[in-house]
Amino acid sequence: MSLGLYLYGIFPELIPDTLAIKGIDEQPVSSQVVEGFTFLYSEANKEKYLASRRNLLTHERVLEETMQKGYNVLLPLQFGLVVKNWESITMQLIEPYKEQLKDLFQKLAGQREVSIKIFWDTKAELQAMMASNLDLKQERDSMEGKSLSMEEVIHIGQLIEKNLMARKQAVIEVFSHELKPLATEILESEPMTEEMIYNAAFLIPWDSESVFSKRVEAIDKRFGDRLRIRYNNFTAPYTFAQLT
């Protein structure tokens, strides 16, 4: 027995029910037009869904498979959105946000979201930094084995942090200088781990992804083994489809 409708995303165009995609709970994915917007959904067997890896990946896969079938302009909805009926969608989403939805679709037309996450080995970078800054290395080495005051500990710690940040910023500036001219919009987010030094999403023209990816590869080669780059070139545009 269906307990509601599980929603995946909104599209500005008609989508046939012949997509042959299985969604959450292995339910077939269908489409429904509401007030001129097409919603991708499946029957919900629960009122709430656990954000498990399997469920999250299924949610993403539904959207990506739909995009691969040629329906590239979409507003992805957050995981776990279950509604009782279409009337609630009209009242809670379409009526208050109709113009914003139209503006977002216009913004995303012909565009795609790609993302870059850059990682480095903090210990290796610290060693390399010391090797290239002999004055700092000598100052740090001179303190080893001594009883240091709190001021001295803070001082050397701040010097090391300042120099490490400068190395980090130098890396980020290379990516920024090379990639920003190719993007329509960029959103930089806070790194999620200590090893991650850069986390950004780029909105780029759909057909220019090959140029963008080659630019990323060229930067990757420039830095060699110093960095690990995670580049996602095909994802639903969560970053740039936010209602305000």
Side-chain angles (χ1 to χ4, degrees):
M1 177 180 175
S2 174
L3 296 179
L5 308 167
Y6 183 96
L7 305 181
Y8 300 93
I10 314 172
F11 296 76
E13 59 188 319
L14 294 176
I15 296 179
D17 281 342
T18 56
L19 290 173
I21 298 175
K22 290 292 183 68
I24 299 291
D25 293 333
E26 294 294 317
Q27 292 294 314
V29 175
S30 302
S31 64
Q32 175 72 31
V33 178
V34 183
E35 300 289 332
F37 299 102
T38 300
F39 286 78
L40 211 61
Y41 76 99
S42 58
E43 298 291 334
N45 295 335
K46 303 174 184 176
E47 293 182 351
K48 292 184 179 180
Y49 283 91
L50 178 68
S52 65
R53 175 177 172 80
R54 179 180 179 181
N55 284 341
L56 289 168
L57 289 176
T58 299
H59 185 98
E60 293 289 331
R61 177 181 53 75
V62 168
L63 293 172
E64 290 175 5
E65 288 187 15
T66 305
M67 292 170 66
Q68 288 170 347
K69 293 178 184 293
Y71 304 98
N72 300 323
V73 183
L74 76 152
L75 303 179
L77 294 170
Q78 66 182 15
F79 169 83
L81 182 56
V82 177
V83 298
K84 291 292 185 182
N85 50 53
W86 296 113
E87 288 75 16
S88 60
I89 283 292
T90 299
M91 294 177 59
Q92 298 173 25
L93 179 60
I94 297 179
E95 288 184 356
Y97 298 107
K98 189 171 188 178
E99 293 307 314
Q100 286 191 48
L101 292 172
K102 290 180 178 178
D103 289 343
L104 283 174
F105 280 129
Q106 185 175 1
K107 168 185 170 179
L108 295 173
Q111 305 286 315
R112 69 194 295 168
E113 178 176 325
V114 298
S115 65
I116 292 177
K117 293 176 175 59
I118 306 172
F119 303 82
W120 73 5
D121 186 324
T122 304
K123 291 182 180 179
E125 284 296 321
L126 184 59
Q127 292 175 352
M129 181 190 73
M130 288 297 181
S132 64
N133 192 330
L134 294 180
D135 289 341
L136 179 60
K137 183 177 186 300
Q138 289 174 357
E139 184 172 356
R140 185 199 63 177
D141 291 348
S142 68
M143 294 181 172
E144 290 185 358
K146 295 182 178 179
S147 178
L148 303 177
S149 66
M150 182 60 68
E151 288 78 8
E152 288 174 320
V153 172
I154 293 173
H155 170 70
I156 191 64
Q158 288 177 336
L159 280 178
I160 292 173
E161 180 66 19
K162 179 181 177 180
N163 281 271
L164 198 59
M165 285 296 296
R167 289 177 67 87
K168 183 182 300 184
Q169 191 59 37
V171 172
I172 293 172
E173 286 178 359
V174 171
F175 282 85
S176 179
H177 176 74
E178 294 290 336
L179 299 177
K180 278 187 176 180
L182 302 179
T184 305
E185 190 175 332
I186 302 168
L187 183 62
E188 297 176 343
S189 303
E190 288 295 319
M192 296 181 287
T193 66
E194 182 182 352
E195 302 293 291
M196 184 187 296
I197 64 171
Y198 189 59
N199 180 17
F202 298 78
L203 190 66
I204 64 174
W206 189 268
D207 295 332
S208 70
E209 191 281 325
S210 60
V211 175
F212 193 92
S213 64
K214 287 178 182 177
R215 190 75 59 89
V216 173
E217 289 176 8
I219 301 171
D220 188 21
K221 289 180 180 178
R222 187 187 311 182
F223 285 101
D225 294 336
R226 184 180 171 192
L227 305 176
R228 289 182 293 112
I229 301 174
R230 186 181 301 166
Y231 173 54
N232 188 345
N233 70 342
F234 192 79
T235 183
Y238 282 97
T239 306
F240 300 101
Q242 300 290 328
L243 287 173
T244 57

